[in-house]
Amino acid sequence: MSIVDYSVEYPSTELQGFYGWTDTLRGIQYGPGSVSTALPKFFKLLGVSKALVLTGKSLYEKTDVVKKVEGSLKAIDGYGATFHQIAQHSPIAGIREASKVFTDAGCDVIVSVGGGSPVDAAKAILYYLQQERGGETMPQIAIPTTLSAAEYSIGAGYTDDSGKKVAVSSQKLAPAAIILDAELTLATPENLWLSTGIRALDHCVENLYRPLIPPPLKVMGLSALADLFKYLPESKADSTSVEIRQKLQIASWMSLWPLKLEKYSALGLSHSLGHKLGAAYSIPHGITSCLTLAPVVELMAEIGTEQDKEYLAKALFYLRKPSTGTVEGDVLALSASIKQLVADLGLSTTLTDYNVPRDDIPTIARNTLGTETHPVFPKVVKLLEGLY
């Protein structure tokens, strides 16, 4: 389901459409222990000399992950400074402070370390620095320690002074390099690791009905969906397995494969609801996907186009589950499977747990859809009521 109709100006079907590679991405290095060799490689490739390491307080104070990255940068005389006050949902205050540290240290690249918040904060910093200085947008090297996949997109969400989630978007904001080193994820808290895995699953599913996504990327998303269903429970059972974690990082990459669209199209209703719930009520994005994805897929069995439903139904084949005999039945079976996966991972929760007032439901639905006159507004209200 898309709120905007792109079909006339940008036709995209099984038989016609457009695919473009991102403007900025020069390389992705993956593999356990790869950070020490990847950073020198990417510094040379990008022609940069001094980095601001951008991360969060917990990762900086409670693990040695940031120290490893700093050490690799110091070994090539590429370390400028570290800013470790990036909080959940990337508040604007931290972005302003980090911009000053970046400038004062004479940096020309940001190395973000952590989940979606540092990656998005880095995009916002580089966006506003370019607005101030002009010229080319400076690059980011992303080192993710969660599965949220923010490093593959051109947009950045952050929280303004009033607590509202806002966004900047530019083809130049996607990181120039990405390092997927599973060893650096071992210290990621279990709930964060697994819930951002559901966030990646959310990308896989919503790309199946996102406008303008070409068929090869949908097939890749279905394959990633199967890997997430397989390896997330295995990672919960054996949290020290670097091999399983590396496979999950690759599945996360496949869930939001680098893409340049002719016209930006947003992901679907689950993401839209997650953005409105996350910043306003301090719900982590991985958890918002745990809340919204299964019910949204259930709703898609009712409101999705035939093509949308056929792609969602294909997921059962990738999960090695039998068809129910109807497309709508298969979509409902996928919804039930997602709900069961979330439960098996110990991630089931409610809006009650996050103190979201029931009286806010119409406002959340309206903000998500843009208007109360949207034809699915009553259904979205009902969906939200079911999350308590």
Side-chain angles (χ1 to χ4, degrees), residues 73-353:
L73 290 168
K74 288 172 182 176
I76 57 171
D77 197 27
Y79 177 73
T82 297
F83 185 85
H84 60 85
Q85 300 294 328
I86 297 299
Q88 183 175 283
H89 301 299
S90 312
I92 187 65
I95 289 169
R96 290 193 190 106
E97 288 181 56
S99 295
K100 185 176 187 306
V101 174
F102 181 94
T103 300
D104 291 348
C107 297
D108 58 358
V109 62
I110 294 178
V111 175
S112 59
V113 186
S117 294
V119 173
D120 276 3
K123 293 176 191 173
I125 291 164
L126 296 170
Y127 177 85
Y128 286 114
L129 284 172
Q130 191 279 330
Q131 295 287 301
E132 288 174 15
R133 301 178 182 183
E136 289 295 312
T137 302
M138 287 174 283
Q140 173 183 182
I141 300 172
I143 306 177
T145 60
T146 74
L147 298 168
S148 66
E151 58 274 11
Y152 304 106
S153 75
I154 63 167
Y158 64 94
T159 312
D160 66 14
D161 289 315
S162 68
K164 182 182 176 184
K165 191 78 173 212
V166 292
V168 292
S169 181
S170 164
Q171 290 293 340
K172 302 298 183 183
L173 291 184
I178 299 165
I179 302 171
L180 304 177
D181 182 342
E183 288 182 358
L184 300 182
T185 73
L186 288 167
T188 303
E190 181 182 86
N191 264 29
L192 179 60
W193 177 249
L194 297 176
S195 65
T196 55
I198 299 297
R199 186 66 169 178
L201 183 65
D202 206 342
H203 303 326
C204 295
V205 170
E206 296 228 295
N207 266 332
L208 296 176
Y209 47 81
R210 180 185 182 185
L212 312 184
I213 299 299
L217 267 63
K218 295 186 180 189
V219 173
M220 199 180 299
L222 286 164
S223 181
L225 176 146
D227 285 346
L228 291 163
F229 264 87
K230 174 178 171 59
Y231 294 119
L232 284 171
E234 289 186 13
S235 190
K236 181 176 174 64
D238 183 4
S239 63
T240 62
S241 172
V242 173
E243 181 179 339
I244 293 170
R245 286 172 172 267
Q246 194 67 62
K247 288 178 177 178
L248 282 168
Q249 282 198 308
I250 293 168
S252 171
W253 172 14
M254 291 167 65
S255 80
L256 206 59
W257 193 259
L259 168 71
K260 180 179 180 179
L261 295 164
E262 286 186 291
K263 171 77 174 177
Y264 178 77
S265 68
L267 281 143
L269 181 59
S270 179
H271 279 74
S272 298
L273 285 167
H275 289 145
K276 300 309 174 188
L277 290 167
Y281 305 101
S282 299
I283 308 175
H285 275 148
I287 297 299
T288 64
S289 291
C290 295
L291 281 161
T292 61
L293 181 57
V296 166
V297 172
E298 181 180 354
L299 180 59
M300 288 298 293
E302 182 183 349
I303 67 170
T305 67
E306 283 307 307
Q307 181 175 293
D308 294 341
K309 289 186 281 189
E310 284 170 7
Y311 265 112
L312 288 167
K314 284 182 183 179
L316 290 193
F317 173 80
Y318 283 80
L319 295 176
R320 294 174 168 81
K321 294 188 175 186
S323 171
T324 65
T326 68
V327 171
E328 287 77 12
D330 288 355
V331 176
L332 292 174
L334 173 60
S335 172
S337 296
I338 294 168
K339 185 176 182 179
Q340 187 61 53
L341 176 63
V342 170
D344 291 345
L345 296 174
L347 297 171
S348 298
T349 188
T350 68
L351 292 183
T352 309
D353 296 330

Side-chain angles (χ1 to χ4, degrees), residues 30-60:
Y30 60 97
S34 59
V35 69
S36 59
T37 55
L39 278 171
K41 177 192 294 186
F42 286 139
F43 259 58
K44 185 175 181 180
L45 184 66
L46 300 174
V48 294
S49 59
K50 188 176 286 189
L52 171 70
V53 178
L54 192 70
T55 191
K57 188 175 181 181
S58 293
L59 200 62
Y60 181 80

